[in-house]
Amino acid sequence: MSNEFSAKFQCINGCSQQFELSEILYRCPTCGDLFEVQHDMDKLKKKSSEEWKALFESRYRKHEWPYGSSVWGKKELVCPNVESENIVSTYEGGTNLFWAERLGKQIGLNDLWVKQCGMAHTGSFKDLGMTVLVSMVKQMIADGKNIRAVACASTGDTSAALAAYCAVAGIPAIVFLPKDKVSLSQLVQPITHGITTLSLDTDFDGCMKLVQEICSKENIYLANSMNSLRIEGQKTISFELAQQFDWGTPDFVVVPGGNLGNVSAIGKGFKMMYDLGIIQKLPRLVCAQAANADPLYQSYKDGFNSFKPQRAQKTLASAIQIGDPVSVKKAIRALQAFDGIVEHATENELANAVGRANRTGLFCCPHTGVALAALEKLIQRGEIKSSDRVVVISTANALKFTDFLYNYHNNSLPGVESECAFSSIDLPADYNQVRDAIFKAID
Ligand SMILES: *Cc1c(COP(=O)(O)O)cnc(C)c1O
Ligand SMILES: [Zn+2]
């Protein structure tokens, strides 16, 4: 029975009171700070690391509900409090760990891997956390809690994930999007699932304020990552990486950061495996920000002594155009615990990093470009060595960002000098002209 294990909400500042995961609370009533999900580690430690690994391997991508999902295959470490019949899953996780041999050689690494988290049901890694949150909501509704709907503010991918999971479960949802700041595909995703889609004349930070107010006053459940249930799902990125390296640990994990839930989630996942003896070593974490929205980078430069929210400037990496990240404290703690680094990338750097990577067969979104550009800088500075095993977290599927790619290859992105401009060749259907064009291209 899963109920032999248990997890509760506890404030990140250690205020003593714990709360059930089924309580509708997002912040500590004593100090107002965020919660994190605290697992009963003593119970988890009763199983040996060998037993855990064998259990996870036996479930991985198999049929038995819900354990074939790589999130729910680690249910005891993720969210033991939900009954399997209430789990809302699209068989998430288990994404490809791509050996980027050619790109690695070009940028000076022998052991570069790209974790293809965008190869997911809704095309981004947000599915990993959303399956946990929506499952818990379904459990709460089954237990008689009065929840009319679930809502989130989003830069595009959270709303797509919330919409899909609520549509699977038949739970009403509302998404708050900043007008003209998400891609057409991201706007279409909640619409096609029949989810109430609000396009507001503000930025992400403005949407965030409004959705928090609505959720605090109405019986609407908040699905943003300040709700730490989502962090529990996102941390399975680390479980999966260890598993895919046959329970080994890479030297560095590079992830793009906006609201900063994910960098802390990745840290939490590795720490938990380490405490259970499943892995023997912790990686170093790198958080990569767009230079146009880089409050964490500025804080890092100051030794994390201060943190100043920004008004985020427009960036091609629209999912991380966030100036006032909700999980900043968690992120700073994770980076300090994992000997972390924060780096940033300009529009020109992130776009050309995508251009170079895609020439080697990858298919990257602009956020993955931020991570790759940051990685290139760290290699150039010698902070990452050619022999280090590095994983870049690719956070979304580039098919959501075809406008960006099209404009990049046409060299028509403002502030970007496209180093890999490349476009289709328009020709009449004439043998000689086609042959001449081919040999001009491949010579
Ligand atoms: C959400 C998101 C991120 C950033 O994650 P945070 O937890 O907000 O830092 C990066 N890339 C993509 C594509 C995202 O959707
Ligand atoms: Zn507190």
Side-chain angles (χ1 to χ4, degrees):
M1 251 309 277
S2 62
N3 286 346
E4 65 180 286
F5 301 102
S6 80
K8 301 230 159 100
F9 284 133
Q10 180 152 28
C11 161
I12 58 169
N13 298 324
C15 296
S16 57
Q17 209 179 346
Q18 289 192 326
F19 299 89
E20 295 299 328
L21 300 189
S22 55
E23 294 240 22
I24 303 179
L25 265 182
Y26 316 106
R27 287 182 177 278
C28 172
T30 308
C31 74
D33 220 323
L34 297 186
F35 285 131
E36 64 187 348
V37 175
Q38 199 89 55
H39 291 264
D40 185 336
M41 292 299 285
D42 290 336
K43 279 196 185 148
L44 291 170
K45 281 176 184 165
K46 288 194 180 137
K47 248 194 224 310
S48 72
S49 59
E50 290 310 317
E51 288 174 309
W52 281 124
K53 288 189 268 188
L55 181 65
F56 299 153
E57 292 291 359
S58 74
R59 293 168 169 173
Y60 192 62
R61 296 174 75 82
K62 294 284 196 332
H63 180 69
E64 192 197 344
W65 178 267
Y67 302 113
S69 151
S70 179
V71 171
W72 296 106
K74 285 95 177 173
K75 183 182 176 193
E76 295 84 352
L77 277 61
V78 171
C79 189
N81 312 40
V82 53
E83 299 295 336
S84 288
E85 71 201 41
N86 288 318
I87 286 176
V88 184
S89 170
T90 65
Y91 204 74
E92 40 288 314
T95 51
N96 181 23
L97 184 59
F98 180 103
W99 183 30
E101 185 187 15
R102 241 186 111 203
L103 180 65
K105 282 214 175 89
Q106 286 175 17
I107 65 177
L109 279 184
N110 299 323
D111 206 5
L112 174 61
W113 301 80
V114 178
K115 176 66 172 156
Q116 299 278 51
C117 295
M119 296 190 170
H121 186 69
T122 73
S124 90
F125 71 162
K126 298 290 201 287
D127 290 2
L128 301 171
M130 205 54 84
T131 181
V132 177
L133 183 136
V134 175
S135 298
M136 203 59 222
V137 169
K138 191 172 172 195
Q139 177 76 51
M140 287 153 74
I141 292 173
D143 293 343
K145 278 249 153 63
N146 180 12
I147 297 174
R148 295 280 312 278
V150 186
C152 73
S154 178
T155 52
D157 290 329
T158 298
S159 42
L162 179 66
Y165 282 86
C166 284
V168 169
I171 297 170
I174 305 129
V175 303
F176 291 59
L177 295 173
K179 194 174 169 60
D180 300 329
K181 292 186 179 72
V182 306
S183 74
L184 182 61
S185 331
Q186 290 171 318
L187 177 63
V188 162
Q189 286 182 291
I191 290 173
T192 200
H193 293 310
I195 295 303
T196 307
T197 304
L198 308 175
S199 189
L200 304 179
D201 196 6
T202 179
D203 59 5
F204 171 80
D205 296 300
C207 289
M208 192 66 231
K209 283 203 181 73
L210 208 54
V211 76
Q212 279 184 250
E213 191 180 343
I214 297 261
C215 290
S216 70
K217 293 182 179 159
E218 316 291 337
N219 291 326
I220 296 176
Y221 191 76
L222 179 64
N224 279 97
S225 59
M226 68 186 339
N227 185 325
S228 52
L229 291 170
R230 277 182 47 209
I231 304 295
E232 293 310 290
Q234 297 297 138
K235 84 183 180 198
T236 64
I237 295 169
S238 308
F239 297 170
E240 236 176 71
L241 282 176
Q243 187 169 11
Q244 288 174 311
F245 286 124
D246 300 324
W247 306 105
T249 312
D251 296 304
F252 286 88
V253 178
V254 188
V255 63
N259 225 359
L260 305 177
N262 276 286
V263 63
S264 64
I266 290 168
K268 194 170 186 219
F270 279 112
K271 178 73 171 45
M272 203 168 177
M273 284 188 291
Y274 184 80
D275 289 344
L276 294 173
I278 294 172
I279 55 170
Q280 314 311 320
K281 171 187 120 153
L282 296 173
R284 291 183 69 188
L285 295 184
V286 179
C287 183
Q289 294 208 291
N292 284 354
D294 67 352
L296 185 72
Y297 174 76
Q298 298 304 336
S299 170
Y300 172 76
K301 291 303 253 184
D302 182 38
F304 292 132
N305 287 314
S306 63
F307 178 81
K308 286 192 210 70
Q310 299 176 349
R311 175 175 287 272
Q313 304 299 302
K314 193 172 166 49
T315 169
L316 294 162
S318 50
I320 54 174
Q321 187 176 326
I322 296 175
D324 191 5
V326 68
S327 295
V328 63
K329 223 186 220 179
K330 287 185 182 178
I332 289 176
R333 285 184 190 176
L335 288 161
Q336 286 173 331
F338 285 76
D339 196 9
I341 301 172
V342 187
E343 187 46 85
H344 70 173
T346 64
E347 299 300 284
N348 189 51
E349 289 165 342
L350 75 89
N352 281 305
V354 169
R356 285 189 286 275
N358 288 5
R359 277 239 171 144
T360 69
L362 280 154
F363 191 54
C364 297
C365 72
H367 322 89
T368 308
V370 172
L372 289 169
L375 171 62
E376 289 176 18
K377 290 182 178 182
L378 294 174
I379 296 166
Q380 279 155 22
R381 282 213 302 272
E383 289 194 59
I384 294 182
K385 308 263 178 305
S386 63
S387 57
D388 285 327
R389 169 167 284 181
V390 178
V391 176
V392 168
I393 307 296
S394 179
T395 49
N397 194 312
L399 285 174
K400 290 200 195 197
F401 301 93
T402 45
D403 267 18
F404 155 75
L405 289 177
Y406 185 80
N407 290 326
Y408 174 78
H409 291 291
N410 267 328
N411 204 6
S412 59
L413 291 174
V416 173
E417 198 69 58
S418 303
E419 290 165 24
C420 306
F422 199 76
S423 52
S424 54
I425 303 167
D426 285 345
L427 283 178
D430 170 79
Y431 179 84
N432 287 321
Q433 290 190 54
V434 167
R435 189 197 53 203
D436 289 352
I438 289 172
F439 283 97
K440 195 169 158 229
I442 67 177
D443 264 352

